[in-house]
Amino acid sequence: MSDQAERLRHRLRQMNSKKKARTIAISSGKGGVGKSNFTINFALKLMEHKKRVLIIDMDIGMGNIDILLGVTPRHSFVDLFKNGSSIQEIIESGPNDLSYIAGGSGLTDVFQLDEAMFLHFQSQFESLIVSYDYILFDMGAGATNDSLHFISSADESIVVTTPEPTSITDAYAMIKHLVRVEATLPISILVNRSLKERNDSSFTRLHAVVDRFLEKEVTSLGVMPDDRNVLKAVNRQQPFVLSHPSTKASMAMSAIVQNYLKVERKEQIEEKPSSFLSRLKRFVVERS
């Protein structure tokens, strides 16, 4: 027994000494804003900077990461709970060796984890946080109480919106829900499909409302232009940064990632008092 305890302590010391992945939950107030497409191309651009990135499609039953990549996955996130697969077994490889886990189907709500299921997820996830630099959770559109808790457990959240008034309103609603659950969660806004990316006022308007009514500081991740080449890439089931690397959208994505990495290096990100898994466990236990 003492030998087992010592091995466990040794393993924990090893894990604590290694740099852990930054978990980013990418969400939107409604569907159709290009969230999953952004996630894929954002990941690929991070990889160009020698970052190890994993995408996990959390839109169980409705996920489309594999469709946008033009691949047919053999496994999915559901296999972790339904078939007892290890998390390493369900990681698939996409274009440019992009690592991803498909959403799959057959699980009514992945967020309704009981404590036993969570412990299995925790034991599997621990290997990922020391194997990658970034883990991107591509969340389903909209919000449930459990999905909000999952998003709020991440190190940060990116909320994707478009300049349309209804989309801005939905993004505000999402931010309001997130602030209610975890007021300290860092939130940034990505404005997609802008017709005037240089003078787009969408973030300014959203920021003003969030600051006034929620007293929450949100930051701008950037603005993606409305580029017809993005639709062409989607129809071909290819990431646009690979199929159309010189277009407006690809150049904008390059600038967004460069700025994101520069800000992260320049400003010491305030560490939360506990890890992603610890925060998620707290919500699971409180709900049980």
Side-chain angles (χ1 to χ4, degrees):
M1 185 66 70
S2 60
D3 289 342
Q4 289 180 337
E6 179 55 36
R7 283 198 296 269
L8 178 60
R9 285 193 291 268
H10 179 68
R11 181 184 174 194
L12 290 173
R13 285 195 296 268
Q14 283 185 318
M15 288 182 61
N16 290 332
S17 67
K18 294 180 180 179
K19 182 180 178 182
K20 296 179 177 62
R22 186 160 181 81
T23 53
I24 307 174
I26 303 174
S27 61
S28 63
K30 68 171 186 177
V33 298
K35 172 181 56 62
S36 296
N37 203 29
F38 164 78
T39 301
I40 289 170
N41 289 278
F42 183 69
L44 286 166
K45 279 297 178 181
L46 283 172
M47 289 171 63
E48 289 186 7
H49 290 267
K50 308 302 181 185
K51 302 299 182 182
R52 300 165 299 169
V53 185
L54 171 68
I55 297 175
I56 302 181
D57 194 337
M58 298 301 297
D59 194 2
I60 308 301
M62 299 289 286
N64 58 4
I65 290 293
D66 52 323
I67 296 171
L68 291 169
L69 290 174
V71 294
T72 302
R74 298 168 298 166
H75 306 284
S76 73
F77 193 66
V78 175
D79 291 325
L80 189 64
F81 305 100
K82 288 280 187 176
N83 302 325
S85 301
S86 73
I87 207 159
Q88 297 295 337
E89 289 175 325
I90 65 176
I91 296 176
E92 307 277 354
S93 182
N96 282 25
D97 292 325
L98 171 64
S99 296
Y100 75 96
I101 297 177
S105 59
L107 201 63
T108 54
D109 191 348
V110 72
F111 302 111
Q112 286 285 358
L113 299 177
D114 59 32
E115 197 162 353
M117 292 173 70
F118 172 78
L119 290 174
H120 176 58
F121 171 73
Q122 180 183 38
S123 66
Q124 294 296 312
F125 195 83
E126 284 175 346
S127 66
L128 297 184
I129 59 178
V130 294
S131 300
Y132 292 94
D133 298 306
Y134 295 94
I135 297 176
L136 310 182
F137 297 112
D138 182 35
M139 308 299 300
T144 65
N145 192 50
D146 289 308
S147 68
L148 287 170
H149 282 155
F150 190 95
I151 295 170
S152 298
S153 297
D155 294 313
E156 65 177 298
S157 177
I158 296 172
V159 177
V160 180
T161 185
T162 68
E164 298 172 5
T166 54
S167 186
I168 295 292
T169 301
D170 289 332
Y172 171 77
M174 171 60 77
I175 295 169
K176 182 178 180 180
H177 288 313
L178 290 172
V179 171
R180 172 180 58 82
V181 175
E182 180 51 75
T184 64
L185 175 70
I187 300 174
S188 54
I189 310 298
L190 186 282
V191 179
N192 197 23
R193 299 175 187 158
S194 173
L195 294 173
K196 46 181 181 180
E197 61 269 23
R198 289 191 177 181
N199 298 300
D200 193 295
S201 62
S202 304
F203 172 76
T204 302
R205 289 183 282 126
L206 183 55
H207 179 275
V209 176
V210 170
D211 180 60
R212 178 180 177 184
F213 294 105
L214 303 180
E215 298 182 343
K216 170 70 175 177
E217 181 63 30
V218 294
T219 59
S220 173
L221 186 67
V223 178
M224 288 292 297
D226 187 36
D227 187 339
R228 63 180 182 178
N229 292 297
V230 173
L231 181 58
K232 288 180 181 179
V234 169
N235 289 334
R236 295 175 183 172
Q237 296 179 277
Q238 299 174 335
F240 63 80
V241 297
L242 300 183
S243 62
H244 300 83
S246 302
T247 58
K248 290 191 301 180
S250 293
M251 289 188 287
M253 186 64 76
S254 294
I256 286 170
V257 170
Q258 287 174 2
N259 185 63
Y260 176 83
L261 294 174
K262 181 170 68 174
V263 169
E264 190 182 23
R265 285 196 304 268
K266 190 175 181 180
E267 299 177 5
Q268 181 64 38
I269 297 175
E270 182 180 349
E271 292 293 335
K272 291 190 177 182
S274 56
S275 68
F276 164 71
L277 288 171
S278 298
R279 294 187 294 268
L280 186 59
K281 182 178 182 179
R282 186 186 70 205
F283 290 125
V284 171
V285 172
E286 287 176 355
R287 187 188 59 217
S288 301

